[in-house]
Amino acid sequence: VAALAVAAAAFSVHAADGRYPVTYVQKVEITHPSHRSAWENKDFLDCDDVVLTEEDVFYALRHMRRISWKSYDPENTDTTGCEGKTLVTFKNGKILAMGIEPTGRISTGEFDAKMKPTASPPSFYECDPCRQRKMALLKDALHRADERRLKRLEAEGRIPPGEAEVRLKRSKAERDKP
C-alpha cells in the first residue's frame, strides 16, 4: 500500500491539468509558431530556430503542471525569450490561449467561444518532460548559438585564438551524450 501511495504521488507531480483533457480538444490553431520577447538571448538560442508544432501543444497538455507566478516569473527563472503561441479549442467551446517556451514554461488564459475572457485567472505551468523533449530536438540550434557566442568572444580577445573551436567541440560532445 505504501509503495502504491509513493507511486501515485510521483505520478501526480507530472500529471497534466485535468481541466484541459487532450481527448476533448476540438482544434489547435498555432497563431505564432515562433515569437521572440524582450528576454531573447541569442547566445543561448535564436528564436528563429524554435518553432511550435501541434505535436508540442498536445505533449504540453498531457504533461504540464501548474505553478505559481513567483515560480514562473522570468526574472527568477531561466527563459530563452522564445515562445510559440496557440489557441486550443475544446469541444465544450472553451478556448485556451497558450504561450509555450522550449524550456517547458507555459502561460495560459481561458476564453469562451466568443473570445471573451472567462473568470479563470491566467495560469502558469511548467513541463519538464516538454523541456527535455524540445531541447533534445534543438541540439543543432543550441550548437549554432554556442558557435556564435564563442566566435564572438574569440574575436573580442576574451578567449585565446583557437579556443572557440576547442570549447565548441567539447560542448557538442557533452550535448550529444545519451
Side-chain angles (χ1 to χ4, degrees):
V1 173
L4 186 58
V6 169
F11 178 74
S12 67
V13 168
H14 291 289
D17 189 325
R19 297 177 302 160
Y20 310 117
V22 172
T23 54
Y24 292 130
V25 172
Q26 183 177 11
K27 179 174 93 173
V28 172
E29 178 188 352
I30 297 181
T31 56
H32 291 92
S34 181
H35 178 77
R36 64 181 40 88
S37 73
W39 298 97
E40 181 186 26
N41 178 357
K42 287 189 183 205
D43 284 343
F44 177 65
L45 186 64
D46 186 335
C47 292
D48 291 337
D49 292 331
V50 183
V51 177
L52 181 68
T53 66
E54 192 172 305
E55 184 180 342
D56 296 331
V57 176
F58 280 106
Y59 196 84
L61 288 170
R62 284 197 281 297
H63 298 283
M64 64 188 194
R65 86 180 163 82
R66 200 169 191 170
I67 59 173
S68 67
W69 163 252
K70 186 177 180 180
S71 297
Y72 180 85
D73 186 356
E75 292 199 23
N76 299 326
T77 57
D78 290 332
T79 180
T80 61
C82 305
E83 178 181 68
K85 296 185 180 196
T86 186
L87 296 174
V88 180
T89 305
F90 293 89
K91 292 176 184 173
N92 64 1
K94 184 187 312 182
I95 297 172
L96 183 66
M98 300 175 73
I100 303 174
E101 294 185 27
T103 57
R105 292 164 30 92
I106 302 168
S107 61
T108 66
E110 228 177 78
F111 298 86
D112 65 17
K114 296 179 181 176
M115 286 304 290
K116 296 206 187 294
T118 65
S120 295
S123 297
F124 306 97
Y125 297 86
E126 71 177 18
C127 179
D128 193 53
C130 299
R131 179 189 59 77
Q132 292 174 8
R133 178 182 165 276
K134 196 67 173 181
M135 289 309 202
L137 294 172
L138 292 171
K139 279 184 184 179
D140 289 337
L142 293 168
H143 180 68
R144 287 191 301 273
D146 284 345
E147 185 175 22
R148 280 191 303 273
R149 179 179 49 81
L150 290 169
K151 292 203 179 206
R152 189 187 75 240
L153 290 173
E154 192 175 78
E156 293 171 353
R158 294 173 58 191
I159 60 174
E163 183 68 18
E165 197 61 38
V166 171
R167 290 185 187 185
L168 193 57
K169 285 179 184 174
R170 190 176 327 132
S171 71
K172 187 173 187 331
E174 280 295 313
R175 196 171 283 126
D176 289 341
K177 281 184 181 177

